[in-house]
Amino acid sequence: MTLTVLVLNGPNLGRLGVREPDVYGTATYEDLVQRCQEVAKETGLEVDVRQTDSESEMIGWLHEAADEGAPVILNAGAWTHTSVAVRDAASQLTSPLVEVHLSNVYARETFRHTSYLSDIAVAVVVGMGLEGYAAALRFLAQV
Protein backbone atom coordinates (compact mmCIF):
# COMPACT_ATOMS: atom_id res chain seq x y z
CA MET A 1 0.00 0.00 0.00
CA THR A 2 1.47 3.35 -1.06
CA LEU A 3 1.56 6.17 1.45
CA THR A 4 -0.22 9.33 0.26
CA VAL A 5 1.13 12.65 1.52
CA LEU A 6 -1.10 15.71 1.43
CA VAL A 7 0.89 18.76 0.33
CA LEU A 8 -1.21 21.71 1.41
CA ASN A 9 -0.48 25.27 0.34
CA GLY A 10 -2.14 28.37 1.69
CA PRO A 11 -2.87 31.89 0.51
CA ASN A 12 -1.07 33.46 -2.42
CA LEU A 13 0.96 30.35 -3.25
CA GLY A 14 -1.07 29.93 -6.43
CA ARG A 15 0.61 33.16 -7.56
CA LEU A 16 4.13 31.77 -7.51
CA GLY A 17 6.22 33.03 -10.39
CA VAL A 18 4.47 36.41 -10.44
CA ARG A 19 4.30 37.30 -6.74
CA GLU A 20 7.52 38.86 -5.47
CA PRO A 21 9.93 36.76 -7.55
CA ASP A 22 12.83 38.37 -5.68
CA VAL A 23 11.53 36.66 -2.52
CA TYR A 24 9.82 33.50 -3.81
CA GLY A 25 11.71 32.86 -7.05
CA THR A 26 10.44 32.48 -10.57
CA ALA A 27 9.13 28.92 -10.28
CA THR A 28 5.38 28.70 -10.79
CA TYR A 29 2.82 26.81 -8.75
CA GLU A 30 2.69 24.26 -11.58
CA ASP A 31 6.47 23.81 -11.15
CA LEU A 32 5.89 23.17 -7.44
CA VAL A 33 3.29 20.49 -8.20
CA GLN A 34 5.54 18.86 -10.79
CA ARG A 35 8.53 18.82 -8.40
CA CYS A 36 6.43 17.18 -5.68
CA GLN A 37 5.19 14.55 -8.14
CA GLU A 38 8.75 13.81 -9.33
CA VAL A 39 10.09 13.33 -5.82
CA ALA A 40 7.06 11.28 -4.79
CA LYS A 41 7.71 8.92 -7.68
CA GLU A 42 11.42 8.66 -6.75
CA THR A 43 10.59 7.85 -3.13
CA GLY A 44 7.62 5.54 -3.65
CA LEU A 45 5.08 7.97 -2.27
CA GLU A 46 1.85 9.34 -3.66
CA VAL A 47 1.14 13.06 -3.36
CA ASP A 48 -2.02 15.07 -3.39
CA VAL A 49 -0.95 18.69 -3.89
CA ARG A 50 -3.53 21.38 -3.15
CA GLN A 51 -3.65 25.17 -2.82
CA THR A 52 -6.32 27.42 -1.38
CA ASP A 53 -6.80 31.05 -0.46
CA SER A 54 -9.72 30.02 1.79
CA GLU A 55 -8.90 29.39 5.44
CA SER A 56 -12.04 27.29 5.93
CA GLU A 57 -11.06 25.05 3.01
CA MET A 58 -7.58 24.58 4.49
CA ILE A 59 -9.09 23.64 7.85
CA GLY A 60 -11.33 21.11 6.11
CA TRP A 61 -8.32 19.55 4.38
CA LEU A 62 -6.47 19.28 7.68
CA HIS A 63 -9.51 17.59 9.24
CA GLU A 64 -9.57 15.19 6.28
CA ALA A 65 -5.88 14.37 6.81
CA ALA A 66 -6.47 13.82 10.52
CA ASP A 67 -9.40 11.48 9.85
CA GLU A 68 -7.42 9.53 7.22
CA GLY A 69 -4.18 9.43 9.20
CA ALA A 70 -2.34 11.05 6.29
CA PRO A 71 1.00 12.82 6.72
CA VAL A 72 0.97 16.48 5.71
CA ILE A 73 3.46 18.92 4.25
CA LEU A 74 2.01 22.33 5.05
CA ASN A 75 2.99 25.71 3.68
CA ALA A 76 0.32 27.74 5.41
CA GLY A 77 1.69 31.00 4.03
CA ALA A 78 0.59 33.99 6.10
CA TRP A 79 -1.70 31.77 8.23
CA THR A 80 1.50 30.37 9.75
CA HIS A 81 1.88 33.63 11.66
CA THR A 82 -1.77 34.53 12.23
CA SER A 83 -4.16 31.59 12.40
CA VAL A 84 -4.90 29.78 15.62
CA ALA A 85 -7.70 28.00 13.71
CA VAL A 86 -5.23 26.45 11.22
CA ARG A 87 -2.97 25.47 14.12
CA ASP A 88 -5.88 23.87 16.00
CA ALA A 89 -6.81 21.85 12.92
CA ALA A 90 -3.18 20.82 12.32
CA SER A 91 -2.80 19.77 15.95
CA GLN A 92 -5.40 17.06 15.33
CA LEU A 93 -3.16 15.27 12.81
CA THR A 94 -2.25 11.72 13.79
CA SER A 95 0.60 11.39 11.28
CA PRO A 96 3.65 13.60 10.85
CA LEU A 97 3.36 17.26 9.90
CA VAL A 98 6.24 19.00 8.11
CA GLU A 99 6.08 22.80 7.91
CA VAL A 100 7.61 24.25 4.73
CA HIS A 101 8.33 27.81 3.60
CA LEU A 102 9.91 28.74 0.28
CA SER A 103 11.72 31.77 1.68
CA ASN A 104 13.84 32.04 4.80
CA VAL A 105 11.22 33.55 7.07
CA TYR A 106 13.90 34.36 9.67
CA ALA A 107 15.63 36.73 7.22
CA ARG A 108 12.42 38.64 6.61
CA GLU A 109 10.02 40.83 8.59
CA THR A 110 9.95 40.19 12.33
CA PHE A 111 6.30 39.09 12.34
CA ARG A 112 7.26 36.16 10.09
CA HIS A 113 9.62 34.81 12.77
CA THR A 114 6.65 33.53 14.78
CA SER A 115 4.98 30.31 13.68
CA TYR A 116 1.85 28.83 15.23
CA LEU A 117 2.81 25.51 13.62
CA SER A 118 6.48 24.83 14.31
CA ASP A 119 6.01 23.37 17.77
CA ILE A 120 3.56 20.73 16.48
CA ALA A 121 5.59 19.88 13.36
CA VAL A 122 8.11 17.04 13.31
CA ALA A 123 10.31 19.14 11.00
CA VAL A 124 10.47 22.67 9.61
CA VAL A 125 12.07 23.50 6.27
CA VAL A 126 12.69 27.15 5.33
CA GLY A 127 14.52 29.01 2.61
CA MET A 128 15.08 26.14 0.17
CA GLY A 129 12.52 27.13 -2.45
CA LEU A 130 10.90 24.18 -4.20
CA GLU A 131 13.66 21.92 -2.90
CA GLY A 132 12.18 22.37 0.58
CA TYR A 133 9.19 20.34 -0.58
CA ALA A 134 11.53 17.70 -2.01
CA ALA A 135 13.40 17.52 1.31
CA ALA A 136 10.12 17.21 3.23
CA LEU A 137 8.93 14.39 0.97
CA ARG A 138 12.24 12.52 1.29
CA PHE A 139 12.04 12.91 5.06
CA LEU A 140 8.48 11.55 5.21
CA ALA A 141 9.46 8.60 3.01
CA GLN A 142 11.88 7.57 5.78
CA VAL A 143 9.67 7.96 8.87
Side-chain angles (χ1 to χ4, degrees):
M1 184 170 166
T2 305
L3 181 64
T4 299
V5 176
L6 288 179
V7 180
L8 304 180
N9 295 285
N12 298 310
L13 286 157
R15 305 227 359 112
L16 289 177
V18 294
R19 178 185 178 224
E20 297 180 82
D22 56 317
V23 174
Y24 299 106
T26 57
T28 66
Y29 182 74
E30 291 75 22
D31 295 333
L32 183 155
V33 172
Q34 182 179 1
R35 186 67 181 128
C36 288
Q37 291 170 339
E38 290 169 359
V39 175
K41 185 176 179 182
E42 291 170 14
T43 57
L45 297 170
E46 294 283 333
V47 289
D48 183 353
V49 185
R50 305 176 186 178
Q51 189 276 326
T52 185
D53 294 322
S54 166
E55 188 175 20
S56 64
E57 186 169 36
M58 177 63 76
I59 290 167
W61 291 344
L62 289 165
H63 290 168
E64 175 187 328
D67 292 345
E68 294 176 0
V72 172
I73 295 171
L74 177 60
N75 184 341
W79 295 327
T80 303
H81 323 291
T82 63
S83 180
V84 174
V86 169
R87 182 226 162 62
D88 287 349
S91 71
Q92 297 175 50
L93 295 170
T94 56
S95 289
L97 167 68
V98 178
E99 179 183 352
V100 171
H101 299 284
L102 294 163
S103 68
N104 179 354
V105 294
Y106 301 105
R108 298 185 61 198
E109 303 92 340
T110 305
F111 71 87
R112 295 186 196 276
H113 301 181
T114 300
S115 169
Y116 287 128
L117 301 167
S118 294
D119 67 322
I120 59 172
V122 297
V124 179
V125 182
V126 301
M128 293 178 63
L130 297 188
E131 287 309 302
Y133 289 85
L137 284 164
R138 288 188 180 101
F139 174 78
L140 288 174
Q142 297 175 11
V143 283

